[in-house]
């Protein structure tokens, strides 16, 4: 039967359009119940004996949640206890329309076989389809459609002794359903009566009535404007739209990034609880600028919201006042207030419970691990078990008369401080996709046993006879590069870089490819690796292990002995690596003059060329920067770190690096020549001169001059910067210089004009050499393969907008993986110091702040802050000179690069944010420094600065 | 215009018949052929009607779109006409064959209907000088068997009656920026008053008399015809002579009087029919094009 659906829509141009869709009704949509004898269905989803232990519905029944129940209570619905659920198409469509994340979870739930969820396409069922009536709103129509479907179901299954229960939180809907003599309950009513599973109650999102009783009637926040007003305000320019970024250090301060036209974007400062107006980190908000005379500048005060649960009457007034006074000193930045929320970006947050001091209370405050997220009020009966655990909580809403947002408990991750738990937390907090690969993804893997087929050989060059070897860090299982070097008959050298041919296995557009594109990169944590591609590929088929035949993408140069490239050739190939070496092993072979085998000779050749290449590169102005990387020696049984040392660099490290750079540059040039519009490249923008201020000031204090006009000038002046008797000075300078740099990013050549790579002093650069662990390299492989005619292209590869979107994701994933990596190192450092007690170490002042110095301990590559003021007692007199910069504490003045001695210990007073505590022991300042170890440092507030 | 070949003998027969007020198909001079009207036949228009008159069949669809008012009349909306002479109607329309006729028809229709005495054009204005409704009236000729004007005008009147324009209002903010806001209830719409919308009566001078609703054969015997737009009160809003022959003032007067009479009589049953159809609502049985 044909019906048509008509609706009127406003077009983007401001016109009004009438849209008519054909809508077909059918009579062959089955009910999905096992008990049903009427429907001619082949397979059923819902059980005949659908029983759940319940006081309310002791009889077998199916539940039908309405849209709002699904949207708000998905956490409960997802629980395995709740089965035999009917999801109506009306509900599915509405959920899809209103929340993409919930829709995805709902779809996952429907797909999970053991959940027994049946989707009933009531909108196409002849007897349950209804048309919108005159004067009926869209919501009312949908509610009615749900009731009609439930009615149909209950009559349909009556003979089979099954009931159908409608779950709704909408009072009006409930009453109407009761009029139609349907079985209907409120969702919390239903869940509270599930006798076997009292823990589900905690996960209930607060419904509106509940919220009303918690909060005082006092209105704390200004009302948010409705969306229509916000939109017209943004159009007329009264409001600005931007992403809300809360400050990490000050809970009363935030910035809103407003994307302007083109590259222009501004930052609006928001200060004070009222002006922040319930915005949460990452929300898209509308801001109204305050009049210019109310503009302030960001305060440099660190404020943490760590008092006990505040009873909504704001005693923050004083804190705010303090904030204003300090802020009023300098000239103001654009300051505004939040007038409305355009899009909430709430996700479940990790954190810990602060148990309420009132006994028997079920309401508690939850402190998220991310300091930018406000504390959340949740209701739980299992507070005593949740204490000391890392838990996840979702926000349900933030009424205008509540100091904190309301939320509910989602799940527990495990005890705080345990390695597994902390790892899970840092992956979740850095948005690293770390679930196991789905079956769908794994289905695209090659079938084992895998071997090279004759078809593979047709298009490939057979390089199995070459003496190829790989050099990697110890314990590396995902080997994506191998090298060879041999002398040609004409006296020139042939050098080959062979990269794992991942794009042979990962075909564009399939689930495996999409998953890899989403993950973007492999994330290396201490002692753990989160793969971008399934292990079969990363550690086996793509890994260029020794003495097995592997597919490769080779870049082969003919060079003379001065390392000048005479010829470049790219080809898909088959190789057979003769040895997988570590850096140290390779170094030993090169140094051992007795060895004369092919591999060693090849390595020597490579090493010789690499040295020339490096020299040339440095002459061109490439920077050698420094950052301390640490390596943990991990106990093989407990997996706890037992020792820690800074990574050592050997000649062979730089040898491999040189050839990788060369390959990347060659490939970048090739794909850019071939595809000027859609080559995926990597650039490193030159930093703005102001970034160097701190470096220049620091150098000046030691009477060393640094030139920053160009990369070359910087490199040269860093090379000559030396201070007698201070051998570590140069490294420190380089560490500082690293901090001045910009982030290197991927981009699509058609969308940008500046290609320069500042750090490498190369006009063009890309990533080609690690396709196992970086998705960008896979794209580059595909581009190169198309360029040399080894593979076919596909539309998305040539679409610069899609590529640009991909680049954005890759850049985001890279950034997050770096943060996760650092967080993992920090956590392991803490574990390490936990077992060490208090240590006394030598370090250098790296930065000077208003109320603290930041100290670097070279031995551990550890950076920490020594605070000189404290909240509870009068601090020493502090004089900060911005020009130096120097900080005078009592009589002692601290400069950058000063050598100090500090005690290091683990401060686990706050289990959620364990931190390394540093306290000064030398120079001795009475009342500030502490005596050498074994003495508990005084109450300072140090923290690790990552 | 579609033509038929009529022999001299046939002509004489037709002429003599008309002289005696008895036409070939048995009608008298001021009778219409059997007429069928059905509204709401095309769902993706805002108003539509199908009219068949004898073997002549036309379909009218009206689309309402938001446009800018004409500068001379900033507080009025307007109508636009397009007549598509489909080759379905007659093979002569194939290619660009129907173009000339189409333009002639649409120009005439524009003159007849697009004035504020026929339709409340002010009511189509949303905000003066900025936004107004433009009614695009699309006429499709499905079959030609004479008297196109009358059939089209009845169809347009029926389609206008059927037209439902979504209700909009202007929202304005403090800055003076205005925007069209749409009601989210699809049933919330405005109807047009068609009370003063005229119908066209074409009178063909055949011999010394004139006939309404001439068939193609009668048309072939006529040298000139007069098209007269008449409202339900009998007010003549437009008169136009078509055809190569001449008309003397006396017969023009006579024809106008006859036109008024016939036109007045045409309006009443049409409105009755339309209202009856409307009152049936969804229960109405749709006939469509195959019925």
């Amino acid at each position: 039967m044909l019906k048509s659906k008509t609706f009127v829509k406003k077009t983007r141009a401001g016109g009004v359009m009438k849209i008519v869709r054909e809508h077909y009704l059918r009579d062959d949509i089955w009910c999905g119940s096992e008990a049903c004898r009427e429907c001619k269905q082949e397979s059923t989803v819902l059980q005949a004996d659908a029983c759940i232990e319940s006081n309310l519905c002791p009889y077998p029944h199916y539940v039908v949640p309405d849209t709002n129940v699904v949207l708000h209570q998905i956490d409960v619905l997802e629980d395995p206890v709740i089965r035999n659920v009917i999801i109506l198409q009306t509900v599915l469509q509405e959920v899809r329309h209103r929340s993409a994340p919930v829709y995805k979870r709902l779809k996952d739930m429907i797909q999970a076989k053991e959940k027994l969820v049946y989707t009933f396409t009531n909108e196409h069922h002849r007897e349950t389809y209804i048309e919108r009536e005159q004067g009926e709103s869209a919501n009312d129509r949908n509610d009615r459609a749900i009731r009609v479907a439930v009615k149909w179901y209950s009559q349909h299954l009556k003979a089979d002794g099954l009931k159908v229960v409608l779950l709704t939180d909408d009072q009006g809907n409930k009453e109407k359903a009761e009029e139609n003599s349907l079985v209907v309950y409120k969702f919390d009513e239903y869940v509270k009566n599930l006798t076997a599973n009292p823990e589900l109650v905690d996960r209930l999102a607060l419904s509106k009535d509940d919220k009303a009783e918690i909060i005082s009637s006092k209105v704390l926040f200004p009302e948010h404007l409705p969306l229509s007003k916000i939109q017209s305000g943004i159009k007329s320019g009264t409001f600005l739209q931007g992403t809300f970024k809360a400050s990490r250090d000050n809970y009363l301060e935030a910035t809103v990034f407003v994307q302007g036209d083109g590259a222009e974007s501004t930052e609006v400062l928001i200060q004070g609880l009222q002006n922040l107006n319930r915005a949460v980190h990452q929300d898209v908000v509308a801001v109204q600028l305050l009049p210019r005379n109310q503009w302030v500048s960001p305060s440099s005060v660190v404020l943490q919201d760590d008092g006990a649960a505040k009873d909504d009457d704001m005693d923050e007034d004083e804190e705010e006042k303090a904030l204003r006074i300090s802020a009023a000193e300098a000239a103001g930045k654009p300051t505004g207030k939040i007038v409305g929320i355009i899009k909430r970006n709430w996700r479940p947050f990790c954190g810990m419970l602060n148990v309420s001091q009132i006994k028997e209370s079920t309401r508690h405050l939850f402190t998220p691990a991310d300091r930018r997220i406000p504390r959340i009020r949740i209701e739980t009966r299992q507070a005593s078990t949740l204490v000391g655990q890392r838990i996840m909580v979702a926000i349900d809403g933030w009424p205008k008369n509540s100091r904190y947002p309301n939320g509910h408990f989602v799940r527990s991750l495990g005890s705080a401080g345990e390695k597994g738990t902390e790892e899970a937390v840092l992956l979740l907090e850095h948005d690293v996709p770390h679930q196991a690969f789905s079956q769908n993804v794994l289905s695209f893997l090659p079938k084992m046993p895998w071997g090279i087929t004759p078809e593979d050989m047709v298009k490939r060059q057979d390089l199995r006879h070459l003496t190829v070897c790989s050099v990697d860090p110890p314990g590396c299982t995902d080997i994506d590069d191998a090298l060879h070097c041999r002398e040609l008959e004409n006296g020139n050298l042939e050098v080959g870089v062979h990269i794992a041919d991942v794009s042979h296995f990962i075909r564009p557009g399939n689930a495996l490819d999409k998953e890899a594109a989403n993950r973007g990169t492999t994330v290396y944590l201490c002692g753990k690796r989160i793969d971008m591609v399934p292990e079969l590929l990363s550690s086996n088929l793509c890994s260029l292990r020794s003495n097995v035949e592997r597919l490769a993408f080779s870049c082969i140069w003919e060079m003379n002995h001065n390392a000048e490239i005479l010829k470049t050739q790219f080809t898909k190939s088959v190789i057979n690596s003769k040895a997988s070496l570590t850096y140290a092993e390779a170094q030993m072979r090169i140094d051992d003059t007795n060895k004369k085998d092919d591999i060693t000779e090849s390595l020597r050749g490579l090493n010789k060329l690499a040295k020339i290449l490096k020299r040339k590169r440095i002459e061109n102005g490439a920077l050698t920067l420094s950052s301390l990387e640490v390596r943990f020696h991990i106990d093989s049984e407990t997996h706890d770190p037992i020792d820690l040392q800074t990574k050592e660099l050997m000649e062979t490290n730089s040898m491999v690096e040189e050839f990788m750079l060369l390959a990347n540059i060659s490939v970048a040039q090739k794909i850019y020549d071939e595809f000027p519009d859609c080559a995926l490249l990597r650039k490193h923008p030159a930093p703005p001169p102001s970034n160097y201020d701190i470096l220049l000031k620091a150098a000046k204090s030691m009477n060393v001059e640094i030139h920053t006009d160009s990369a070359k000038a910087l490199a040269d002046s860093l090379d000559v910067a030396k201070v007698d008797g201070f051998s570590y000075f140069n490294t420190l300078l380089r560490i500082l210089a690293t901090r001045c740099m910009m982030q290197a990013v991927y981009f699509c050549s058609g969308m940008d004009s500046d290609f320069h790579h500042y750090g490498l002093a190369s006009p063009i650069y890309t990533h080609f050499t690690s396709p196992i662990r970086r998705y960008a390299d896979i794209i580059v492989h595909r581009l190169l393969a198309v360029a040399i005619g080894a593979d076919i292209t596909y539309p998305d590869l040539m679409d610069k907008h899609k590529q640009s979107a991909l680049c954005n994701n890759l850049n985001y994933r890279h950034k997050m993986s770096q943060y996760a990596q650092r967080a993992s190192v920090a956590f392991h450092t803490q574990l390490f110091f936990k077992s060490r007690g208090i240590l006394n170490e030598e370090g250098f002042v790296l930065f000077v702040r208003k109320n603290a110095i930041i100290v670097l301990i070279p031995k551990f590559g550890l950076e920490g802050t020594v605070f000189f003021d404290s909240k509870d007692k009068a601090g020493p007199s502090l004089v900060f000179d911005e020009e130096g910069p120097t900080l005078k504490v009592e009589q002692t003045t601290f400069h950058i690069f000063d050598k100090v001695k500090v005690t290091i210990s683990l401060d686990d007073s706050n289990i959620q944010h364990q931190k390394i505590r540093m306290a000064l022991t030398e120079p001795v300042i009475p009342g500030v420094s502490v005596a050498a170890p074994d003495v508990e440092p005084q109450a300072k507030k140090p923290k690790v600065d990552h | 215009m579609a033509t038929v070949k009529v022999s001299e003998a046939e002509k004489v027969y037709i002429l003599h018949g008309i002289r005696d007020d008895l036409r070939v198909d048995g009608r008298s001079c001021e009778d219409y052929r059997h007429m069928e009207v059905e509204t709401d036949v095309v769902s993706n228009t805002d108003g539509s009607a199908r009219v068949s008159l004898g073997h002549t069949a036309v379909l009218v669809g009206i689309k309402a779109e938001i446009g800018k008012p004409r500068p001379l009349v900033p507080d009025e909306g307007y109508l636009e006409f397009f007549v598509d002479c489909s080759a379905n109607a007659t093979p002569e329309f194939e290619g660009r064959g129907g173009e000339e006729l189409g333009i002639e028809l649409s120009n005439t229709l524009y003159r007849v209907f697009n004035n504020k005495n026929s339709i409340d054009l002010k009511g189509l204005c949303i905000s003066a000088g900025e936004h107004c409704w433009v009614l695009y009236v699309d006429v499709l000729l499905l079959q030609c068997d004479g008297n196109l004007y009358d059939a089209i005008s009845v169809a347009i009147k029926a389609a206008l009656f059927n037209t439902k324009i979504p209700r909009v209002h202007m929202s304005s903010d403090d800055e003076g920026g205005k925007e069209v806001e749409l009601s989210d209830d699809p049933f919330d719409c405005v109807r047009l008053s068609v009370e003063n919308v005229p119908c066209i009566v074409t009178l063909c001078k055949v011999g010394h008399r004139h006939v309404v609703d001439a068939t193609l054969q009668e048309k072939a015997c006529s040298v000139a015809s007069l098209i007269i737009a008449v409202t339900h009160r009998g007010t003549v809003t437009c008169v136009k002579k078509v055809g190569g022959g001449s008309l003397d003032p006396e017969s023009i007067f006579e024809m106008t009087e006859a036109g008024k009479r016939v036109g007045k009589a045409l309006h009443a049953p049409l409105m009755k029919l339309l209202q009856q159809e409307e009152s049936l609502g969804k229960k109405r049985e749709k006939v469509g094009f195959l019925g």
Side-chain angles (χ1 to χ4, degrees), chain A residues 258-375:
Chain A
V258 180
Q259 272 293 335
D261 297 328
E264 275 176 70
S265 46
T266 45
E267 261 180 55
V268 180
L269 187 72
I270 317 281
Q271 243 179 24
L273 220 45
Q274 292 271 326
N275 291 343
L276 294 171
N277 197 3
R278 292 171 282 159
V280 178
H281 186 63
Q282 289 290 359
D283 285 348
V284 180
V285 295
V287 215
Q288 184 175 24
L289 284 179
L290 295 174
R292 201 171 264 272
N293 56 10
Q294 290 178 34
W295 284 13
V296 293
S297 68
S299 65
S300 41
V301 179
V302 175
L303 266 189
Q304 274 174 36
D305 183 13
D306 47 12
K310 283 167 182 145
D311 285 332
D312 294 343
D313 41 295
M314 303 218 275
D315 47 8
E316 305 12 51
D317 284 358
E318 269 181 38
E319 283 178 13
E320 285 198 34
K321 224 181 269 163
L323 190 71
R324 255 176 236 133
I325 291 164
S326 69
E329 291 165 6
K333 277 181 66 175
T335 308
K337 62 173 183 189
I338 308 283
V339 291
I341 309 283
I342 294 162
K343 188 169 172 276
R344 288 287 192 191
N345 247 333
W346 291 342
R347 56 185 172 96
F349 299 105
C350 300
M352 291 181 74
L353 204 63
N354 296 15
V355 178
S356 165
Q357 275 135 356
I358 308 157
K359 261 192 189 166
E360 320 282 308
S361 170
T362 54
R363 287 180 200 127
H364 306 277
L365 270 185
F366 160 86
T367 310
D370 188 340
R371 287 207 198 87
R372 294 169 296 191
I373 308 296
R375 291 194 286 169

Side-chain angles (χ1 to χ4, degrees), chain A residues 463-475:
Chain A
L463 302 178
R464 282 176 288 195
H465 57 282
L466 292 176
T467 318
V468 173
C469 66
S470 62
V471 185
D472 285 286

